[in-house]
Amino acid sequence: MKVVPPLSRSSPTVPIPYTIAGCSEHSGKYVAENIMVDAPMDQASRWSGAQQVPGAGGGAKQWMLLKLEEQSVVKSITFGKFHRKHPCNMKEFKLYVGLSPEHMIQVLHTGLKDDAIPETFAVRHVNRDGVPFPVNYVKIIPLSAHGQSFHISIWHVSIAGIVEHGYVDRIREEYDEHREAIILRRILKHLRQRRLLTPFTSILERSSLTLEHPHLTALHTALVLNGSFSAAESLLTNLSDAGLFDDYLRSRQPHAQWTRLEGIDADGDSHAPSPRGGHAMCIDPDGGFIYLFGGWDGQRSLDDFWMYNIKAGRWRLLSPSTAAEKNGPVARSCHKMCFCTKSGCIYLLGRMEDGDITGPVDEEAMRMAGENAAERPTARCSEFYRYHTRGLDAGKWDLLSFDTASSGGPPLIYDHQMAMDCDAQILYVFGGRLVDGDWENPKYSGFYSYNVRTSKWKLLQPLNATSSSSSPGAISPRYGHSMVLDTASHTLLIFAGQRDDKYLSDMYAYDIESNTVSELFCNFSAAGGPDSCFTQRAVVDVGLREVYVFCGLTRAQQSSALTVLRSDTPNWVYRYEDASRPGKWTQILPLPVPTTAFPPTSASTSASTHRENIVPLPRYAHQVVYDDRTRTVFMHGGNSGEARREHRESASESRDQRGGSDSRDERRAGEREGSGGDQSDSGDEAGENEGRSERQRQKKTSHETRLDDFWSMMLVRARPEEVIRQGKYLIRRQQFREMCEIQPSAPVQALRFLQTEVSAVVNHDDAEEAGVFRALLEHLLSPVPAPGPQNDDTMGYSEDRAPPKKRSRSSTPEEVWTSTPGEPWTSASSEAWTSSLEDDEDDMVVLPPESMGRKRAHAVLSMGPDPLELELADGGGGGNGAKGKGKGKGQEVSAERFKQRTEVFESLLDFVGEGAKEPRGSLLDMVDVEEEL
């Protein structure tokens, strides 16, 4: 549970003195104490490791341990350098902090540039629960030097943070209480698992801790202590009403419900943007409007400007040609737009083509933008625009800059990404490929911010202009990637894209406040995510902490030359609890197609044709926006690759299937990468001359399909009723098991309960669940008597118990067991219910492994009833009969049965969010935690 102490904003950050507490072996006179003095001109003023490569030949890691003179909250660390480049300069390192040398945590893994400029890094000073922690020790672990086969050197280290005694003492107190709460909650879980209810209750009474939500405590009492199964089932509805299942439901694999939006006007005519790709869209969630501008239609770049009214479901043409308006942008593609909810302004930057700017220069507009009117813009100037949707200037364009590069911003780029922090009025621009006329040698842009209030650009992270990778701690250069802003944590998530001929599948988190980068995935494909991809689109739901990714061109392997536009539309959701830590990927599935929804109209009608009626075609260079209020994704246009034959034949009749290509780079996709077989669509033929004329390019790309379709998508998730059904299934399974043990002489009652009550909550369409259900018969045919008093005193089980019997089941997949409440249980092959078991050993089902346990000779812990157990159990409505009638108050529960019920209870906890239930894991696992260092 989170315990967040109040933070003092007035506590100053000051330098923190330190001493050298220890270090690995040093080289010559380069002792560790040298780093305490900042002497950049002195070549001897440094620490240098004794080994050229850390850990070489099985040797120990190189390290340096600093002891702070007083306990502090460390906020940053600064590395001073030699006055010029040096091959021994440390390149990559890790940083650990802690209260003692034996218990330290990693807070930084990054690198230094090989220059003379000191570098400062923000140090993580809060844990995953958001609780600040104090530090006594700092440990530096060098990993590599800039020069190959050189000793690693550290020239100077300074540490800064908060040392104010009152603040640090409060932080230490809150941090200790937080740790105390964590360990006590684990102890409480352990005590309850082990049936030690007296100390469990005593700790709860003497502390202010809450182990779990009260509904869960009631569920444990009803199920585990009382065995009141009917009461336990009733409590499932209470859990659902309290929202305890919500996190679990969101984590389940969702389905996409797509709806085609036609955009019919008041006269019933379709009035919408023409087919295109490489265009830009943004959304005004407050007003309910979507804005669309530009793109490539296969013949030329576009400069029409549209607005879609979400409520009315209609498009409106704001301008047929913005180039004809004052300060309006010229035709373009592969640009980006973002919307500021605070001011109602749209910001536009970038373009693909290098020959769109023609005509006279508006010198007055240049002066208003702060540019030199005497310098006429060239075709490669990076213009920066703003459009007003509200206020007195509504409908007008501002030319903020003719060339952002001249004022410290990015050069002319395309396929970059932009995100807007509306509260801070800061615009972020990352990546993109430079438009410099050299298409054979790609160059990439860096990471910039634009302050709307001051009209100033700032370079946040320079990247190499060439295609080489950036240093550790920096985001590698790319284009055609995705970037979304989590405004709650002030974190930018940047992932995928292309660098040179390589498609990427990495993900980075950029912390805006600390200006630090964390690599979340070096290959998210290996972590269960999508293939490496290019021109995919992504949007974020900050409230749900989810990113929705709509894939474009993909490659199964990053280094593969085979580019695929998959026909199964692989869209994804990325869920995270903390934006700075890796989350989980889940594929978004299409809704199941009803078998009678689209009956074939002819023998040649294929299933894929029907599928295209209910989901969009696979595509790239499309655009998506997200309305977080209605949790709806809107998608428009794009390129669906090389048209299928039937599409090409009807292209002249279909508004959403026109020939062409989206951008020069997208038009060249096939030239670089080839075809992907039956499930892929490619661009032009390989080896096409890059310098061919525009008309030649149009001819070569005429077989590609440009789209103008417009869609909305909402995710359909599992419903609470499904969780309640699964919960009842788990409870009734245990109830049936106990009926078989307690009433072995009356199998008819247990069999009827299995056929009716248990079968009624089984998903017989789920092969795994249905298989487990069929295996329940084993308890009826070979019941194991409940353990008596002689083995209640241990956590083990009698070693003289007979091994479980085996049974076989049909391997025929069509033979699915079905039942109707009150009727005999039969199979789909009309076989009657039988209690006989075949001797076939194939596909055998055995009893649960706990029934095979052995009694331990020396039990540490007695698992007999606790004196408080009968007090805590309310005794109402037992649970061993078919109707929930049973043992009555005061009957003891065997150790084995207590363990079984506890396992069922903990299985039910899988449906509950982390913040409402007991901690995960076992206290026993903490005993053998392996030392990190």
Side-chain angles (χ1 to χ4, degrees):
M1 298 178 66
K2 288 190 177 182
V3 181
V4 183
L7 293 176
S8 173
R9 297 183 178 273
S10 60
S11 300
T13 299
V14 298
I16 304 175
Y18 64 86
T19 58
I20 305 297
C23 67
S24 59
E25 186 180 358
H26 63 271
S27 174
K29 59 183 178 180
Y30 305 118
V31 298
E33 285 72 15
N34 290 339
I35 70 167
M36 302 172 67
V37 180
D38 188 12
M41 305 300 294
D42 184 1
Q43 186 163 338
S45 181
R46 55 172 162 149
W47 169 87
S48 188
Q51 302 177 17
Q52 293 181 354
V53 180
K61 292 180 180 178
Q62 298 187 40
W63 55 274
M64 185 183 301
L65 185 65
L66 314 181
K67 185 181 187 306
L68 307 183
E69 286 193 359
E70 51 186 334
Q71 195 171 88
S72 313
V73 177
V74 175
K75 303 291 286 293
S76 66
I77 185 168
T78 300
F79 290 89
K81 302 179 184 178
F82 194 46
H83 67 94
R84 55 179 170 81
K85 287 186 176 183
H86 197 286
C88 292
N89 283 345
M90 181 171 66
K91 179 181 181 181
E92 186 179 359
F93 69 94
K94 292 182 179 180
L95 190 73
Y96 292 79
V97 299
L99 291 172
S100 67
E102 294 79 21
H103 299 91
M104 308 190 78
I105 59 172
Q106 180 180 318
V107 293
L108 201 61
H109 181 190
T110 185
L112 296 170
K113 302 181 183 69
D114 188 16
D115 55 25
I117 303 173
E119 293 186 60
T120 300
F121 299 91
V123 174
R124 181 165 61 89
H125 58 283
V126 296
N127 63 13
R128 66 182 61 192
D129 292 327
V131 180
F133 53 82
V135 170
N136 287 329
Y137 292 89
V138 175
K139 192 170 192 176
I140 304 171
I141 298 185
L143 298 177
S144 64
H146 277 278
Q148 236 178 357
S149 302
F150 281 86
H151 295 261
I152 304 175
S153 292
I154 300 177
W155 300 84
H156 174 63
V157 174
S158 63
I159 301 171
I162 300 175
V163 298
E164 181 187 331
H165 291 291
Y167 176 81
V168 176
D169 290 346
R170 186 171 71 255
I171 290 297
R172 175 61 188 264
E173 180 182 349
E174 297 284 355
Y175 182 60
D176 286 345
E177 288 185 3
H178 175 71
R179 294 196 298 170
E180 190 80 30
I182 289 177
I183 193 64
L184 279 178
R185 293 183 72 240
R186 289 185 177 274
I187 291 173
L188 285 169
K189 175 184 177 180
H190 184 79
L191 292 175
R192 189 168 68 175
Q193 281 179 329
R194 298 311 188 262
R195 214 172 182 178
L196 299 172
L197 300 183
T198 298
F200 172 85
T201 305
S202 177
I203 292 175
L204 284 177
E205 290 175 348
R206 297 178 57 188
S207 68
S208 59
L209 289 176
T210 302
L211 177 62
E212 60 201 359
H213 193 281
H215 288 336
L216 295 177
T217 303
L219 178 63
H220 183 272
T221 301
L223 176 62
V224 181
L225 301 183
N226 260 5
S228 179
F229 299 112
S230 57
E233 289 189 15
S234 298
L235 284 167
L236 294 177
T237 303
N238 296 345
L239 267 62
S240 177
D241 293 342
L244 301 187
F245 297 151
D246 290 354
D247 286 347
Y248 172 81
L249 293 173
R250 284 197 296 268
S251 69
R252 297 303 87 195
Q253 190 163 36
H255 291 76
Q257 183 175 26
W258 291 94
T259 303
R260 179 76 177 263
L261 305 176
E262 299 296 343
I264 304 298
D265 60 19
D267 297 326
D269 299 325
S270 179
H271 185 59
S274 59
R276 67 190 68 202
H279 48 301
M281 287 203 313
C282 62
I283 186 171
D284 174 4
D286 297 330
F289 301 113
I290 296 173
Y291 295 89
L292 182 151
F293 173 74
W296 174 264
D297 68 356
Q299 307 295 322
R300 61 188 178 89
S301 291
L302 305 172
D303 64 343
D304 52 345
F305 190 29
W306 294 81
M307 181 185 75
Y308 181 79
N309 187 317
I310 298 175
K311 184 177 181 180
R314 297 174 185 171
W315 285 101
R316 175 188 169 195
L317 181 61
L318 298 178
S319 174
S321 175
T322 56
E325 299 183 12
K326 183 177 182 180
N327 298 330
V330 297
R332 62 192 60 218
S333 62
C334 299
H335 51 291
K336 299 300 172 196
M337 295 195 310
C338 63
F339 186 86
C340 176
T341 56
K342 202 167 188 178
S343 64
C345 291
I346 297 173
Y347 293 87
L348 185 151
L349 178 70
R351 55 187 169 86
M352 171 63 192
E353 297 297 342
D354 56 1
D356 285 334
I357 296 185
T358 57
V361 176
D362 189 335
E363 297 185 357
E364 180 182 357
M366 289 188 66
R367 286 193 296 271
M368 293 179 62
E371 309 286 347
N372 186 352
E375 298 178 359
R376 293 177 61 88
T378 66
R380 298 192 180 104
C381 284
S382 176
E383 315 91 355
F384 186 33
Y385 296 92
R386 177 172 60 197
Y387 179 80
H388 298 271
T389 67
R390 308 173 190 163
L392 297 177
D393 293 329
K396 295 182 180 179
W397 289 92
D398 294 333
L399 180 56
L400 300 177
S401 176
F402 268 108
D403 186 14
T404 53
S406 64
S407 54
L412 181 59
I413 52 178
Y414 70 95
D415 278 346
H416 49 294
Q417 284 297 332
M418 296 202 308
M420 183 79 185
D421 187 338
C422 301
D423 292 333
Q425 288 292 281
I426 302 291
L427 179 71
Y428 296 92
V429 181
F430 175 77
R433 183 168 170 178
L434 270 62
V435 180
D436 61 357
D438 185 1
W439 302 108
E440 298 298 331
N441 301 296
K443 302 179 182 64
Y444 307 99
S445 181
F447 195 6
Y448 297 86
S449 68
Y450 177 77
N451 190 314
V452 174
R453 296 189 179 101
T454 63
S455 301
K456 299 293 185 182
W457 287 95
K458 179 181 179 181
L459 180 61
L460 300 176
Q461 176 187 289
L463 297 179
N464 297 334
T466 61
S467 62
S468 61
S469 299
S470 55
S471 62
I475 308 173
S476 56
R478 67 194 62 209
Y479 72 119
H481 53 287
S482 294
M483 179 172 76
V484 295
L485 172 63
D486 183 323
T487 53
S489 62
H490 303 285
T491 303
L492 286 163
L493 297 176
I494 301 170
F495 58 96
Q498 181 176 359
R499 184 174 66 245
D500 299 342
D501 290 331
K502 183 180 181 181
Y503 279 21
L504 305 174
S505 59
D506 53 358
M507 175 181 277
Y508 294 87
Y510 172 76
D511 187 283
I512 293 174
E513 294 182 347
S514 63
N515 190 31
T516 56
V517 174
S518 303
E519 184 181 59
L520 303 181
F521 298 97
C522 61
N523 180 7
F524 50 65
S525 301
D531 291 337
S532 51
C533 44
F534 172 68
T535 70
Q536 72 292 327
R537 305 305 182 211
V539 291
V540 63
D541 188 310
V542 177
L544 297 180
R545 297 189 296 276
E546 293 181 341
V547 178
Y548 309 117
V549 182
F550 302 86
C551 289
L553 299 173
T554 61
R555 289 179 180 171
Q557 298 179 358
Q558 296 183 18
S559 58
S560 171
L562 183 65
T563 300
V564 175
L565 184 59
R566 293 175 55 180
S567 61
D568 54 357
T569 318
N571 302 322
W572 296 78
V573 56
Y574 171 74
R575 300 186 74 249
Y576 58 91
E577 294 298 325
D578 183 344
S580 64
R581 297 175 181 272
K584 295 181 179 180
W585 292 92
T586 304
Q587 188 169 354
I588 302 174
L589 300 178
L591 280 177
V593 181
T595 56
T596 59
F598 296 98
T601 56
S602 67
S604 62
T605 303
S606 65
S608 62
T609 303
H610 298 315
R611 182 176 177 276
E612 291 170 359
N613 290 330
I614 58 174
V615 298
L617 288 170
R619 64 194 65 205
Y620 65 96
H622 47 302
Q623 286 300 322
V624 297
V625 294
Y626 183 68
D627 186 348
D628 58 359
R629 301 191 176 192
T630 61
R631 292 178 177 165
T632 304
V633 174
F634 295 90
M635 182 176 73
H636 180 274
N639 190 338
S640 66
E642 186 175 348
R644 299 177 176 88
R645 181 179 302 274
E646 59 267 26
H647 292 163
R648 292 200 298 268
E649 291 173 352
S650 61
S652 61
E653 301 175 2
S654 175
R655 295 192 64 257
D656 61 350
Q657 295 170 353
R658 309 278 179 89
S661 173
D662 297 318
S663 72
R664 175 174 303 167
D665 208 70
E666 291 155 0
R667 294 193 296 270
R668 292 163 45 223
E671 301 169 24
R672 293 195 308 267
E673 292 128 4
S675 174
D678 292 340
Q679 288 190 335
S680 68
D681 295 292
S682 65
D684 303 338
E685 297 176 0
E688 188 64 32
N689 183 2
E690 202 52 59
R692 66 177 183 265
S693 69
E694 183 67 21
R695 182 174 299 177
Q696 289 173 318
R697 286 198 297 271
Q698 294 168 9
K699 290 180 179 178
K700 295 297 295 183
T701 61
S702 61
H703 285 175
E704 292 193 352
T705 304
R706 200 62 63 318
L707 304 171
D708 70 347
D709 51 347
F710 189 41
W711 298 80
S712 68
M713 187 276 284
M714 300 184 71
L715 291 182
V716 178
R717 304 177 187 267
R719 298 180 60 81
E721 292 79 7
E722 171 62 16
V723 176
I724 293 175
R725 181 200 66 78
Q726 294 182 44
K728 288 182 177 180
Y729 173 53
L730 293 173
I731 293 172
R732 294 183 187 182
R733 265 173 44 185
Q734 177 62 25
Q735 184 175 352
F736 171 74
R737 183 176 185 176
E738 294 187 16
M739 291 174 65
C740 293
E741 293 175 353
I742 292 177
Q743 300 172 349
S745 61
V748 176
Q749 186 180 10
L751 178 59
R752 185 178 298 112
F753 182 79
L754 180 66
Q755 291 175 316
T756 56
E757 301 299 324
V758 182
S759 179
V761 291
V762 173
N763 179 8
H764 295 280
D765 293 331
D766 186 321
E768 182 178 357
E769 187 172 312
V772 174
F773 171 58
R774 292 193 297 268
L776 292 176
L777 181 62
E778 193 74 31
H779 297 294
L780 183 64
L781 301 179
S782 302
V784 179
Q790 69 275 11
N791 60 10
D792 272 2
D793 60 344
T794 71
M795 292 182 60
Y797 305 102
S798 175
E799 63 180 336
D800 59 358
R801 179 175 301 164
K805 295 183 179 180
K806 303 174 182 178
R807 78 167 184 90
S808 64
R809 61 177 181 237
S810 171
S811 59
T812 306
E814 290 80 8
E815 187 176 351
V816 181
W817 292 99
T818 61
S819 70
T820 302
E823 297 180 3
W825 192 30
T826 61
S827 72
S829 59
S830 300
E831 292 186 13
W833 167 272
T834 176
S835 61
S836 64
L837 298 177
E838 299 176 7
D839 294 330
D840 187 10
E841 295 295 316
D842 296 334
D843 197 17
M844 290 183 294
V845 179
V846 299
L847 282 180
E850 62 266 21
S851 65
M852 302 176 66
R854 292 180 177 272
K855 181 178 179 180
R856 295 182 299 183
H858 303 285
V860 175
L861 178 66
S862 171
M863 283 290 286
D866 188 277
L868 278 181
E869 188 170 321
L870 299 181
E871 255 180 65
L872 293 175
D874 59 20
N880 299 315
K883 300 297 183 182
K885 301 175 182 179
K887 55 184 178 49
K889 186 173 181 179
Q891 183 174 336
E892 292 185 3
V893 178
S894 68
E896 184 176 358
R897 182 155 300 145
F898 185 92
K899 183 173 182 289
Q900 292 170 0
R901 291 177 179 178
T902 299
E903 289 173 351
V904 174
F905 173 75
E906 293 181 349
S907 295
L908 293 172
L909 292 184
D910 290 339
F911 302 130
V912 179
E914 295 296 331
K917 64 184 179 182
E918 63 186 26
R920 284 188 178 273
S922 169
L923 188 63
L924 301 178
D925 296 335
M926 301 181 67
V927 177
D928 299 323
V929 174
E930 189 175 336
E931 292 290 337
E932 256 191 299
L933 301 177

